[in-house]
Amino acid sequence: MLTYLHVKNLAVVEDIEVHFGDKLNILTGETGVGKSVIIGSVNLALGGKLSTDMIRSGEDYALVEMAFEPNEYQWKDLSEYDIIPEDNQLIITRKYVNGRSSCKVNGEIVTLNVLRQIASVLIDIHGQHEHQSLLYPEKQLEIVDRFAFDRVGPVKEAVARLFNDYIAVKKEIDSVSIPEEERQREVDFLEYEIGEIEAANLKENEEEKLEEQYKKLNNFGRIMESLGSVYAITGDNGGVSYMLNQALTNMNQVVALDENMSDFHSTLIDVESILSDFNREVQAYINDNSFDSEEFARIEDRLDCIRKIYAKYGGTYEKTMNHYEEMCKKREYYNDYDNNIIILKEKLTNLEETLQAESKKLSRIRENASEKLAGLIDDSLTDLNFRKSCFTIQIGHKDCYSANGMDFAEFMITANPGEPARPLVKVASGGELSRIMLAIKTVLADSDAIHTLVFDEIDAGISGRTAQKVSEKLAGIANNHQVICITHLAQIAAMADEHYVIEKVVENERTKTNIRQLSYNQSVDELARILGGTKITESVISNAKEMKDLAAMWKGNVK
């Protein structure tokens, strides 16, 4: 469940903290105090869109933090994201600063997509006007699939996989299905390119080795000139070797007079020996090397050939040879074109037969599930004051394949006895859609592992006895789930296990939104405000207290 919410510098919120209970949490407040910001902040923390203009004026960042205590089933679903529990808590942090958003789960940075997937395991949010989505066939089919997820899920995955394979083979057939004349031109072109690469007789690392040889021959004159200068400086003809011999003659005389200088003498002998070896090797290199113009021309021509081939077919030896292998495969494919097309078409036929069978299997599961789901929703609608209506779900079939099967769903309702069932889009008002969505949420809540349900304005367009029925339904859901609900109706607020009021205050000439948890007496006063409008009399307060006590009595009897 959601245990804690912290919002800072978001819209009219400066800094608020809320600790939620595990049953029915009700949030009330006057119009315009920022009730929607609370649910909006939950949406943001769970991956909703965040923009700079949502940051509180004068501040440079916004922050939303949420703490959850997932149940064992949710921890199991969350394990694939490598989330490490901290005292059985999962803490989500969303921060927006300097135009950039960051998301963390238990201190570890996650992507926005991963955050949204995690959120789908933890919480189900019914935002303002979401009930309008019931009018879309896609949403209706999604509800059926969610209800029967254990049976629908594996078959749906198989259908999606088969459909993707089917489309891939279909595209392959379309891409290779070309007239014979055009195919022959393609084969001729492939033969030319393959022959060009084969004629080049490429070898791995050949270019690098030739470049080294080319560099040496291209700079041969400079190398010999420099080596000649080196030999002149270090040689016997007045160079370092000559002077070293002179120094060694003098050192021989010194050692004869002072034996303590023998180490110096040995060092000088070693230097003279090293320099003599160096001079011999330099002289040998100069004598043994000469410029070979024919070899230079051969290397230059070979490099030019290699570089032209590389430039045309990929830029490197590896890419050129990969291109060569692909062309050879393509040539082989075209040479056996007729047989390959037959194989592809057979593969397409087999995939289509399997896809059709799995799609029909998915349709049967959906048809069976929709019948059961419709019955449960109909029962739930009766509890919500749809006394004489009849709710049904029709599963229709398209004449084409898709990754989601061949089905579409249509929610039907009979508003009055004796009238035919009609699509929801043609019958239901806004208030009725809101109650239908609540009925659906009630049924789905019993069939999945999501423990926390959030409702924002689920009471739109209702009042009186219907509002009382909605409050009882919410309280009933809260027996097994955590429910967080923003409402403007006293009947629903009276059912609260935890009641919070959202209010706008002015401090230091700045407006901000606060939220505080109410005691029993404070909750009665808030109900009186909702009931009484501008003037709250003793009679209104008495009525509010009676509503609160009757709600407590109803919940006690239900339990």
Side-chain angles (χ1 to χ4, degrees):
M1 68 174 184
L2 174 61
T3 59
Y4 172 76
L5 172 66
H6 177 211
V7 185
K8 192 169 184 178
N9 300 332
L10 188 67
V12 291
V13 173
E14 181 181 63
D15 194 352
I16 62 170
E17 294 182 348
V18 190
H19 294 270
F20 291 108
D22 61 352
K23 291 189 177 181
L24 181 56
N25 300 265
I26 296 294
L27 287 73
T28 59
E30 294 183 0
T31 302
V33 297
K35 296 192 294 295
S36 61
V37 174
I38 305 301
I39 300 301
S41 65
V42 173
N43 271 313
L44 289 176
L46 299 176
K49 290 184 178 179
L50 187 61
S51 59
T52 305
D53 58 3
M54 299 174 74
I55 298 178
R56 181 172 167 82
S57 176
E59 305 295 341
D60 57 5
Y61 77 97
L63 173 72
V64 183
E65 289 181 306
M66 299 171 67
F68 289 88
E69 288 183 359
N71 57 39
E72 59 178 310
Y73 302 106
Q74 289 171 323
W75 276 125
K76 185 178 179 180
D77 290 337
L78 292 168
S79 62
E80 65 178 283
Y81 302 106
D82 296 325
I83 296 172
I84 301 174
E86 294 183 3
D87 299 326
N88 197 41
Q89 279 197 329
L90 185 146
I91 300 171
I92 293 174
T93 306
R94 182 98 185 269
K95 190 172 184 180
Y96 193 87
V97 58
N98 296 327
R100 301 187 67 180
S101 167
S102 63
C103 315
K104 291 184 179 181
V105 177
N106 281 2
E108 299 288 335
I109 294 176
V110 298
T111 65
L112 204 56
N113 184 50
V114 168
L115 180 63
R116 288 169 181 156
Q117 293 176 39
I118 290 171
S120 69
V121 175
L122 297 171
I123 193 167
D124 183 11
I125 301 177
H126 178 84
Q128 293 185 39
H129 314 303
E130 186 193 340
H131 50 269
Q132 295 293 331
S133 67
L134 279 177
L135 303 179
Y136 302 115
E138 298 82 3
K139 180 68 174 181
Q140 295 174 1
L141 187 61
E142 177 189 322
I143 289 169
V144 174
D145 286 353
R146 182 172 167 188
F147 173 71
F149 178 77
D150 289 344
R151 288 165 290 157
V152 167
V155 183
K156 198 173 176 181
E157 286 181 8
V159 167
R161 185 174 60 254
L162 286 165
F163 177 75
N164 290 334
D165 292 344
Y166 172 79
I167 292 298
V169 173
K170 201 169 185 299
K171 286 181 177 178
E172 186 177 356
I173 291 174
D174 292 340
S175 67
V176 299
S177 295
I178 58 178
E180 185 175 353
E181 185 178 341
E182 185 178 339
R183 190 167 68 249
Q184 189 56 52
R185 285 199 299 269
E186 179 71 13
V187 170
D188 291 342
F189 181 71
L190 290 170
E191 292 282 8
Y192 171 78
E193 290 195 334
I194 290 169
E196 191 174 35
I197 294 176
E198 288 178 344
N201 193 25
L202 301 173
K203 296 180 179 63
E204 192 172 5
N205 299 323
E206 182 183 12
E207 183 184 22
E208 291 79 3
K209 294 175 182 176
L210 288 173
E211 281 178 343
E212 290 180 12
Q213 296 175 34
Y214 178 83
K215 183 179 179 181
K216 174 184 173 182
L217 290 173
N218 195 42
N219 294 280
F220 186 81
R222 186 184 301 174
I223 293 170
M224 289 302 167
E225 182 181 351
S226 297
L227 278 177
S229 297
V230 169
Y231 186 77
I233 293 169
T234 61
D236 292 331
N237 190 16
V240 174
S241 291
Y242 171 78
M243 289 184 284
L244 193 58
N245 285 328
Q246 294 290 94
L248 193 57
T249 299
N250 291 329
M251 183 56 73
N252 289 335
Q253 295 175 5
V254 170
V255 170
L257 298 173
D258 185 356
E259 291 183 356
N260 291 328
M261 300 300 291
S262 59
D263 288 344
F264 289 166
H265 182 249
S266 296
T267 300
L268 201 57
I269 290 173
D270 291 340
V271 172
E272 190 273 339
S273 175
I274 292 170
L275 189 58
S276 294
D277 292 341
F278 172 77
N279 284 330
R280 279 195 300 273
E281 290 175 7
V282 169
Q283 184 64 56
Y285 185 90
I286 293 173
N287 293 336
D288 294 342
N289 284 273
S290 60
F291 181 76
D292 188 337
S293 58
E294 291 183 2
E295 178 67 6
F296 180 72
R298 186 194 68 79
I299 292 172
E300 194 171 35
D301 290 343
R302 181 60 179 163
L303 275 174
D304 184 57
C305 172
I306 292 171
R307 286 167 179 168
K308 283 181 179 179
I309 293 292
Y310 286 176
K312 190 173 180 180
Y313 297 113
T316 65
Y317 174 83
E318 290 77 12
K319 289 181 179 179
T320 300
M321 296 313 294
N322 287 338
H323 181 72
Y324 171 77
E325 290 174 6
E326 289 174 8
M327 288 190 297
C328 288
K329 289 177 183 177
K330 200 169 183 181
R331 179 181 62 178
E332 183 180 350
Y333 182 89
Y334 279 130
N335 286 337
D336 196 18
Y337 175 80
D338 292 336
N339 188 47
N340 286 323
I341 287 293
I342 290 171
I343 292 171
L344 279 175
K345 288 182 177 179
E346 287 178 351
K347 185 177 181 181
L348 185 67
T349 300
N350 292 334
L351 278 171
E352 185 172 6
E353 289 174 354
T354 309
L355 175 59
Q356 186 178 62
E358 288 297 308
S359 295
K360 287 181 178 179
K361 182 179 178 181
L362 181 58
S363 296
R364 288 193 296 272
I365 294 172
R366 283 168 169 166
E367 287 165 0
N368 293 333
S370 65
E371 186 176 347
K372 182 178 179 182
L373 174 62
L376 293 171
I377 293 173
D378 202 41
D379 292 342
S380 189
L381 286 173
T382 301
D383 296 339
L384 290 169
N385 225 25
F386 279 82
R387 295 179 181 177
K388 297 180 180 180
S389 65
C390 179
F391 184 88
T392 58
I393 301 175
Q394 291 184 0
I395 300 295
H397 308 295
K398 304 173 185 176
D399 58 359
C400 61
Y401 301 110
S402 77
N404 198 28
M406 300 177 69
D407 309 317
F408 65 89
E410 190 163 40
F411 287 3
M412 311 286 288
I413 192 165
T414 304
N416 299 297
E419 293 184 2
R422 299 176 65 193
L424 212 58
V425 66
K426 296 181 179 180
V427 180
S429 65
E432 288 171 330
L433 284 175
S434 180
R435 280 185 286 159
I436 292 169
M437 178 61 89
L438 178 57
I440 291 169
K441 295 281 186 180
T442 303
V443 173
L444 293 181
D446 293 334
S447 64
D448 61 30
I450 297 177
H451 183 74
T452 300
L453 306 175
V454 179
F455 296 101
D456 184 9
E457 295 194 5
I458 195 70
D459 52 15
I462 63 173
S463 59
R465 178 61 181 159
T466 301
Q468 180 62 30
K469 288 289 188 178
V470 169
S471 72
E472 291 171 0
K473 180 62 70 175
L474 287 170
I477 298 173
N479 279 331
N480 299 306
H481 294 77
Q482 180 190 42
V483 178
I484 299 170
C485 179
I486 290 179
T487 185
H488 62 278
L489 293 180
Q491 293 96 323
I492 294 177
M495 284 287 184
D497 293 301
E498 308 291 342
H499 191 172
Y500 307 84
V501 65
I502 303 169
E503 51 197 1
K504 192 177 288 186
V505 298
V506 178
E507 291 183 5
N508 300 322
E509 299 184 351
R510 289 208 65 184
T511 302
K512 66 178 184 179
T513 291
N514 283 340
I515 184 169
R516 57 188 175 89
Q517 189 170 359
L518 303 180
S519 64
Y520 172 85
N521 290 333
Q522 290 170 332
S523 181
V524 170
D525 290 342
E526 176 64 6
L527 290 177
R529 179 196 66 77
I530 297 172
L531 290 168
T534 56
K535 188 173 183 180
I536 301 174
T537 64
E538 289 297 326
S539 177
V540 174
I541 293 175
S542 176
N543 188 22
K545 185 176 184 303
E546 184 179 16
M547 288 182 69
K548 188 75 177 170
D549 293 343
L550 286 172
M553 187 182 302
W554 183 90
K555 288 189 290 184
N557 291 334
V558 170
K559 293 173 186 177

